[in-house]
Amino acid sequence: MFSAVALDDIVIADFEGSDYGEWKAFGKAFGNAPGSGSFPGQMPVTGFNGKGLVNSCNPDSQAIGRLCSPKFIIKRPFIVFLVGGGEHKERLCVNLRVNRRIVRTATGFHKHAGGTEELHWRQWDVSDLQGQPAIIEILDQHTGRWGHITVDHIVQTENAVLENNTRELKVAKRYLNIPVKTGAPKKWMRLLQNGKLIRELDIELCADAPSFWAFMDMEQFQGENLTVTLEGVERGETKDFDAITLSDTIIGGENMYQETDRPQFHFTSKRGWLNDPNGLVYYNGEYHLFYQHSPCSWNGSDAHKTWGHAISTDLVHWEELDDALHPDALGSIWSGSAIIDKNNTTGFKTGEEAPMVCIYTSAGGLSPWAKDKPFTQSLAYSNDRGRNFTIYEGNPVLENLKSYNRDPKVFWHEETKQWVIVLYMDAGVMGFFTSPDLKSWNLQSELKCFDECPELFSLPIDGDKNNQKWVLYGGKCDYYIGEFDGKKFTPESEVLHLNRGNCFYASQTFNNIPEEDGRRIQITWGRVEFPGMPFNQMMDFPVVLTLRSTNEGIRMFAEPVEEIKNLYAKEHRWMDEALDANNNPLAQLQGELFDIEAEIEVGKEKTIEFLVRGIPVSYDVATQTLACEEMRAALPASDGKIHLRLLVDRSSIEIFGNHGYAYMPMKARFDDANKTLALSAKDGEAHIQSLSVRELNSAWKTNQ
C-alpha cells in the first residue's frame, strides 16, 4: 500500500500545517485552514494520512467554494492523492488545470447514500504533460446531501499507487462468483476473449465481509480461455481479485428467493439492482420482461447497465434467464422496447420463428470502452424465442440527435403499415419517427410534453372498439389523451395523472398481446429499496389499463391482472355487515400476502380505515380522499359507495380505488412483528356490502 513518500516523490501538499500556506481558498466551503478529521455531526472520516486534510463539510451546509494550489511544474509521470466525500461530477471534484483548461478530474466514491467518508487513492497519468505548469483545484459547488469533499496527500511520483491485476481463466464451471461490498471503491473489471473485450463493468469488489456475491453466467464461454483484468488496485493488493471464483453454484444461492425481505409476488432479480422495465413483449405463450439490470451492484451503475430478462406464462410466476444484452463499444444498454417482426421487415429471420427485435439506447460516454461515444439507438435480434440475441452489425441505427436522446418505444402502426418509434429527445420533448425496417428512421414530428420513457398506444373508450383514443405518457405516467395519425400526436386533454403512489416510475406496456386477449398490460419499476438484501428494487404488479368515461371526462384506469388468482390460497368473505369503530371483521387474520377487496357504503362517518400491518389506508368521507402515508388521491363515491382493493406484499401495498380510478402503488416498511389486519369506520357507521380477503401463496415457491 502506498503510504510513505519515496525519495524521488514531490509532495504537492500534505495539509499538515496550521493553514493552507500558499494555497488560496475562495468562498466559505474550505474555511481558512485544513481540518483534523470529522466536523461535528459528520460521520467519522478515515483513510487520510497524518493529522490534517481538506474537508469542506463545515457547519454551513450551504457553503460553496474552491481551493487552489500555487502553480507548479509537472515533473513526474503520476499525480496521486486521497479523496472522499460525495460523488458529484463537475461540482464536487479535484481538477488538474493546464493553461486554465481542466485536463484531469476526479471525485469521491459512490456509496448507497451518495458518497463515503473513507478516503481512497486516485491517480492521474500525466506523463504526456511533464514539463508543463499546472495548478490543482479542489472544488465544492454542491449544497445538497453529500455536498462536501475530503482530500489529502497530493504527490507527484514515478510509480503509480494503483495498478492493474490480471488473471487467466479456464472456464470449466457455470458461474463466476464476485464478492461485492456496497460502498467499496469502484474498479473497472474486464473480461477478454482472445484479446477481444467482451465484458466491462465498474464494480465495488471486496472480499472482506461482502454485502453479497454477484455472479456472471459463463455457460456460453464453457471451455474457453478468458483473461480477467481489474483496474486501479493498490500496489501489492491481490486479495479481492483472488476471491473471484468459478463454481457450478451461485454463492449464497441456497437461499435464493427465501430471503427475509424478498417480495413474494412482485418480480425482483436474483442479484443486483433493477430499474426500468424494457422490451415488454408477448410471443407464443410467453410474456418477456426485459429490464435495466446492474447484476454486480446494489446501487445500480449507469456504466454497466444490461438488459435483464425473465419470462412468464401467467404474469405471476417468473423465470429469470441470463442477461440478454450487455454493454459494448457503443455504450451501456439503456432503456428501449421489443417487437415481434411477423413480416420480417428487418430481414433478420433465419428459421421458423419470427424475429424478436430489441430497440435500445446505446449510452455512450459512461465507460472507458465507449468513452468517446454519444447516446445513439441500436438493435439486437433473436431467432430462438429470446434465448439468444445477436447485436446488429449496422448499429447504431440512429445517430445522436440531441444530447441524451434515449428510451425508444416501438410498435407497428397497422393503418400506415410501418413501424412507429417514439424517442425521448431531451428537455421534455418526444420525437415521433417512422420506419419500414427499424434500421432507417424518419423524424415526422416533435411534441413538448413529458420526460423519459415514452409510451404510446390506443384504447377503446368504455370497451367500444369503434370509439378509440390514443394515450401518450412519460416516466411518471402523466398522460395525454388524443389522436395519432401515424406521424403526429395531437393532445385533446389536459395533462392527466395515473399514478398517485410513491413507488412508480418508467412503466411500459406489452407489445404483441394476442387480439383475442386484447388487454393493454403495464408493468412499472417499483422504487423500493431492500437494505441488507442481495437484490434491490422491484417491479410493481402487472395491471390492465382501460379508458373509461367519468364525470370529469375520459380517464385511464388501472386494475391488477386477473392472473393473480393463480396465487389464491384461502379466501375469507363477509357480506351485508355493519362497520364501526368497535367492530373489526379482520381481527382473526394475520399474514404477509393478501388480495383484499371491499365494497363499502360510506354512510355519514368521518373516516373508513384499513390498517395493514400497522400502516393506515384511509378514506375521508367529507373530502372524498384516499390516503396512505404521505400520498393522497381523489376518490368520489358513487351512489354512496366506494370500492377498494389492496395488494399486500412484504414491502408494498398497491391500492386501487373504484376499480382503478385511483391507482396508488405504495412502498411500505412494515414492522416484522406486526402481521395484523383491521377495518373500521370512525365517528360513525358504514356498511360492508362485500368484503373478500384472499390469502396468497408465494410466486417463488414453485420457481426455485
Side-chain angles (χ1 to χ4, degrees), residues 30 58 65 109 143 169 194 204 251 259 354 360 445 448 469 531 536 542 547 576 600 603 673 701:
F30 297 99
N58 63 59
F109 292 87
T143 59
L169 196 68
N194 299 322
E204 298 162 300
I251 295 179
E259 300 91 345
Y360 59 91
S445 63
K448 178 75 172 179
K469 288 293 182 182
N536 196 11
L547 286 180
D576 192 22
I600 299 174
K701 297 298 185 185

Side-chain angles (χ1 to χ4, degrees), residues 275-525:
N275 53 291
D276 305 5
N278 300 147
L280 301 188
V281 67
Y282 178 88
Y283 183 61
N284 282 3
E286 293 178 334
Y287 298 92
H288 290 260
L289 165 62
F290 300 93
Y291 56 93
Q292 293 283 275
H293 189 206
S294 297
C296 298
S297 172
W298 190 85
N299 297 304
S301 167
D302 287 344
H304 79 265
K305 284 284 172 63
T306 70
W307 267 27
H309 187 195
I311 57 173
S312 175
T313 59
D314 67 354
L315 293 166
V316 174
H317 299 90
W318 293 95
E319 177 189 356
E320 185 174 348
L321 305 181
D322 190 20
D323 287 348
L325 305 176
H326 296 269
D328 57 23
L330 291 177
S332 189
I333 312 299
W334 278 27
S335 290
S337 51
I339 56 89
I340 303 301
D341 188 10
K342 298 176 183 178
N343 300 319
N344 196 29
T345 63
T346 57
F348 291 152
K349 185 174 181 178
T350 58
E352 295 299 319
E353 302 286 354
M356 181 182 293
V357 184
C358 298
I359 304 94
Y360 59 91
T361 296
S362 291
L366 302 175
S367 67
W369 197 356
K371 64 180 178 180
D372 298 323
K373 299 295 193 301
F375 275 42
T376 56
Q377 315 310 315
S378 295
L379 302 180
Y381 60 94
S382 169
N383 282 302
D384 62 356
R385 297 168 48 246
R387 269 52 180 183
N388 295 280
F389 282 88
T390 300
I391 303 299
Y392 175 50
E393 62 183 10
N395 286 339
V397 293
L398 185 66
E399 299 289 348
N400 182 268
L401 299 175
K402 291 184 180 180
S403 189
Y404 299 109
N405 48 193
R406 61 188 184 275
D407 309 338
K409 171 63 183 187
V410 183
F411 63 93
W412 179 255
H413 190 251
E414 183 61 29
E415 292 77 6
T416 56
K417 305 296 183 183
Q418 61 187 344
W419 297 108
V420 169
I421 304 152
V422 190
L423 185 72
Y424 177 56
M425 303 291 280
D426 206 22
V429 174
M430 300 297 183
F432 299 83
F433 298 77
T434 57
S435 173
D437 58 6
L438 299 180
K439 301 172 185 176
S440 58
W441 300 22
N442 300 301
L443 178 61
Q444 301 293 350
S445 63
E446 294 185 7
L447 180 67
K448 178 75 172 179
C449 50
F450 310 116
D451 287 323
E452 301 185 316
C453 304
E455 181 63 279
L456 178 63
F457 51 82
S458 66
L459 285 174
I461 300 172
D462 300 323
D464 182 358
K465 293 183 179 180
N466 296 315
N467 183 19
Q468 302 221 12
K469 288 293 182 182
W470 286 81
V471 175
L472 172 70
Y473 68 66
K476 296 179 181 178
C477 212
D478 296 338
Y479 67 97
Y480 282 129
I481 296 172
E483 291 291 345
F484 180 67
D485 63 4
K487 295 182 178 181
K488 180 180 179 181
F489 180 85
T490 303
E492 296 179 342
S493 71
E494 61 184 344
V495 176
L496 303 170
H497 312 280
L498 177 68
N499 160 50
R500 298 294 184 174
N502 65 8
C503 66
F504 177 111
Y505 198 73
S507 62
Q508 190 172 112
T509 67
F510 278 88
N511 280 331
N512 202 48
I513 294 294
E515 186 175 349
E516 60 270 22
D517 181 323
R519 292 178 295 175
R520 178 60 57 173
I521 301 170
Q522 179 191 72
I523 292 182
T524 300
W525 168 25

Side-chain angles (χ1 to χ4, degrees), residues 8 78 186 229 239-240 285 418 431 502 522 595 604 662 688:
D8 57 354
F78 295 97
K186 287 186 177 181
T229 68
K239 178 175 60 175
D240 295 339
Q418 61 187 344
N502 65 8
Q522 179 191 72
D595 178 1
K604 296 182 180 180
I688 298 173

Side-chain angles (χ1 to χ4, degrees), residues 1 52 95 136 196 216 237 311 314 404 450 494 530 631:
M1 180 181 292
N95 296 324
I136 287 176
K196 180 182 178 181
M216 289 186 183
E237 291 292 325
I311 57 173
D314 67 354
Y404 299 109
F450 310 116
E494 61 184 344
F530 296 95
M631 306 307 293

Side-chain angles (χ1 to χ4, degrees), residues 76-349:
R76 300 289 185 268
F78 295 97
I79 295 176
V80 303
F81 51 94
L82 290 160
V83 64
E87 184 190 44
H88 299 283
K89 296 176 182 178
E90 299 180 356
R91 292 175 293 158
L92 207 61
C93 52
V94 184
N95 296 324
L96 178 68
R97 289 184 176 269
V98 174
N99 296 324
R100 298 185 178 181
R101 185 169 62 92
I102 296 174
V103 295
R104 304 286 189 275
T105 189
T107 188
F109 292 87
H110 180 78
K111 198 174 182 178
H112 166 55
T116 178
E117 297 296 12
E118 181 180 0
L119 280 74
H120 294 279
W121 288 108
R122 293 286 204 190
Q123 69 183 29
W124 294 322
D125 183 339
V126 292
S127 53
D128 60 323
L129 301 173
Q130 289 188 80
Q132 298 192 49
I135 67 167
I136 287 176
E137 170 190 66
I138 304 174
L139 194 66
D140 181 347
Q141 297 293 311
H142 188 78
T143 59
R145 192 175 186 187
W146 283 102
H148 66 275
I149 189 169
T150 52
V151 180
D152 194 21
H153 207 66
I154 307 173
V155 178
Q156 295 195 58
T157 180
E158 290 283 346
N159 301 305
V161 61
L162 304 175
E163 60 188 8
N164 296 342
N165 285 346
T166 300
R167 281 173 56 188
E168 299 302 316
L169 196 68
K170 175 73 172 181
V171 182
K173 297 183 178 181
R174 176 72 181 270
Y175 300 105
L176 187 66
N177 287 283
I178 306 166
V180 174
K181 188 170 186 176
T182 304
K186 287 186 177 181
K187 300 177 177 65
W188 286 103
M189 177 177 160
R190 299 180 177 91
L191 270 68
L192 296 92
Q193 184 179 29
N194 299 322
K196 180 182 178 181
L197 185 58
I198 55 174
R199 297 282 188 274
E200 181 181 68
L201 61 154
D202 55 340
I203 189 166
E204 298 162 300
L205 184 69
C206 185
D208 290 333
S211 304
F212 67 96
W213 284 82
F215 68 91
M216 289 186 183
D217 191 329
M218 308 298 288
E219 186 172 23
Q220 70 182 100
F221 303 114
Q222 288 299 303
E224 298 286 339
N225 292 309
L226 303 181
T227 301
V228 187
T229 68
L230 188 67
E231 184 181 278
V233 182
E234 290 188 21
R235 284 203 309 258
E237 291 292 325
T238 64
K239 178 175 60 175
D240 295 339
F241 194 49
D242 292 342
I244 299 172
T245 183
L246 278 167
S247 174
D248 286 326
T249 59
I250 300 167
I251 295 179
E254 65 276 7
N255 295 318
M256 196 83 72
Y257 302 117
Q258 301 176 43
E259 300 91 345
T260 55
D261 290 343
R262 175 82 70 173
Q264 295 298 287
F265 62 93
H266 290 77
F267 178 79
T268 49
S269 192
K270 291 177 180 177
R271 291 287 184 266
W273 166 278
L274 67 75
N275 53 291
D276 305 5
N278 300 147
L280 301 188
V281 67
Y282 178 88
Y283 183 61
N284 282 3
E286 293 178 334
Y287 298 92
H288 290 260
L289 165 62
F290 300 93
Y291 56 93
Q292 293 283 275
H293 189 206
S294 297
C296 298
S297 172
W298 190 85
N299 297 304
S301 167
D302 287 344
H304 79 265
K305 284 284 172 63
T306 70
W307 267 27
H309 187 195
I311 57 173
S312 175
T313 59
D314 67 354
L315 293 166
V316 174
H317 299 90
W318 293 95
E319 177 189 356
E320 185 174 348
L321 305 181
D322 190 20
D323 287 348
L325 305 176
H326 296 269
D328 57 23
L330 291 177
S332 189
I333 312 299
W334 278 27
S335 290
S337 51
I339 56 89
I340 303 301
D341 188 10
K342 298 176 183 178
N343 300 319
N344 196 29
T345 63
T346 57
F348 291 152
K349 185 174 181 178

